Amino acid sequence: TWLRTKGSWVRFLPAAPKIRKPTTKVVGFFFCAIEKHSLSVAKGVHVDSPDFEHFDMSKAFTPASDGDDDEDLGLPALPTGARNYMTPLGYARMRAELFTLIDDERPKVVEIVHWAASNGDRSENGDYIYGKKRLREIDRRIRFLTKRLEIAEVVDPAVHHGSDQVYFGATVTYAEASGTERTVTILGIDEADSLQGQVSWVSPIARTLLKSREGDALKLITPAGVLDIEVLQVRYPAPA
C-alpha cells in the first residue's frame, strides 16, 4: 500500500504477526518507509531519509521484473485463492531474512555499485556488472518476501498439542503396505524443507494425511499408482 505525503511516497510493509488462534490472519501491524523516487520503482523498498534508520539505501531501487517473482526465483507458487499458511517460526525466519536484505546486504551492494560506477567505463567493469545483477536478485527476493508476508496467515501448531488428528504443523509417522515407516512434518509452502523431512500442506502426502487420525488407513495417490498407508503417530510441539 502506497500513500503520498509532502512529496514523498510511504509504503506499509508487514511487521510481526499477532497470533490469536490457529487461522488468524496477519493484519494491523506495519512499519513504513519513505520512497522519494518515481512510481516506476513503486514495488521496491527504498528509503533515503535520516528519519528511518532501518532503511539506509542511497540509490534507487532496481525496477521490478516483468515476470512473476515466484517464477523468477524458481519458488513454488501458491494455489489460486489459497491462503499462505505459515508457522510462527517460519514467519519469523522470512521476516528476519527480509530485514537482513534491507538493512545489511542491499546497502553493502549499493555501496559497491556506487564505487564501481565512479571508476569510469561501466561496460567492462566487473564489479559494476555483478553488483547490478546482485541488486536485481536482492530486490526480486525482497518483493517476493514482502508479498508473501503480507498475505501470511500464521498458524501455531502447538494449539493442537495432545491431539491425534492431523492438522497443519503436525509431525506424522505413517507406514506403507511394505512395512516401511516414514515421518513428515506438514508446513507452509515457503518454509518446508524436504531434506528435513518437511512437506508443504499442498503436497499429495499432506493432503492425504490432513484431518486423518492415528490408526486410519488411507490411500495415497502417486505417479506409480495408489499406495496404502496407515497413520501410526501424530505429534505437535508443546506450547511455549
Side-chain angles (χ1 to χ4, degrees):
T1 302
W2 292 83
L3 296 175
R4 180 150 190 151
T5 171
K6 295 184 179 179
S8 297
W9 287 94
V10 177
R11 186 179 190 185
F12 294 92
L13 299 176
K18 186 174 182 179
I19 306 172
R20 295 180 180 175
K21 54 184 180 180
T23 58
T24 298
K25 189 168 185 178
V26 180
V27 294
F29 287 84
F30 303 89
F31 64 87
C32 62
I34 296 181
E35 173 62 74
K36 292 185 177 181
H37 296 279
S38 67
L39 283 174
S40 64
V41 293
K43 288 188 177 181
V45 180
H46 170 76
V47 162
D48 190 15
S49 168
D51 296 329
F52 291 84
E53 296 180 355
H54 285 293
F55 295 84
D56 185 18
M57 305 178 195
S58 59
K59 300 299 176 183
F61 217 85
T62 58
S65 61
D66 294 332
D68 183 80
D69 287 333
D70 295 359
E71 295 178 357
D72 291 344
L73 292 171
L75 295 169
L78 284 171
T80 303
R83 297 174 178 177
N84 190 25
Y85 293 116
M86 196 178 298
T87 64
L89 182 59
Y91 185 96
R93 285 174 179 167
M94 289 187 69
R95 187 168 179 268
E97 181 186 354
L98 175 62
F99 276 97
T100 297
L101 289 173
I102 292 174
D103 296 342
D104 184 36
E105 189 166 353
R106 192 180 193 282
K108 289 179 180 178
V109 177
V110 166
E111 192 115 352
I112 292 174
V113 171
H114 179 66
W115 168 81
S118 67
N119 290 335
D121 184 13
R122 302 178 183 179
S123 61
E124 298 182 1
N125 189 325
D127 289 324
Y128 179 82
I129 294 172
Y130 173 78
K132 291 292 288 184
K133 180 177 180 291
R134 181 58 186 147
L135 269 182
R136 287 192 294 271
E137 294 172 351
I138 292 173
D139 292 347
R140 190 161 61 244
R141 181 64 179 173
I142 288 174
R143 288 193 297 272
F144 172 82
L145 291 171
T146 300
K147 288 195 303 183
R148 290 298 246 257
L149 291 173
E150 283 176 346
I151 61 172
E153 291 203 26
V154 180
V155 180
D156 188 357
V159 299
H160 298 297
H161 181 68
S163 174
D164 69 344
Q165 189 168 14
V166 180
Y167 295 103
F168 179 85
T171 296
V172 185
T173 300
Y174 65 92
E176 299 176 354
S178 62
T180 302
E181 294 187 8
R182 303 184 188 279
T183 300
V184 296
T185 300
I186 303 173
L187 299 176
I189 291 177
D190 299 319
E191 57 183 330
D193 182 356
S194 59
L195 297 179
Q196 302 296 322
Q198 301 165 349
V199 297
S200 75
W201 65 273
V202 299
S203 64
I205 181 61
R207 288 182 176 274
T208 300
L209 292 171
L210 286 170
K211 298 299 180 69
S212 65
R213 294 180 181 274
E214 292 179 357
D216 284 354
L218 308 171
K219 293 187 178 297
L220 172 63
I221 300 176
T222 71
V226 179
L227 187 66
D228 291 320
I229 63 175
E230 180 183 355
V231 180
L232 301 180
Q233 184 183 42
V234 179
R235 292 178 285 115
Y236 294 94

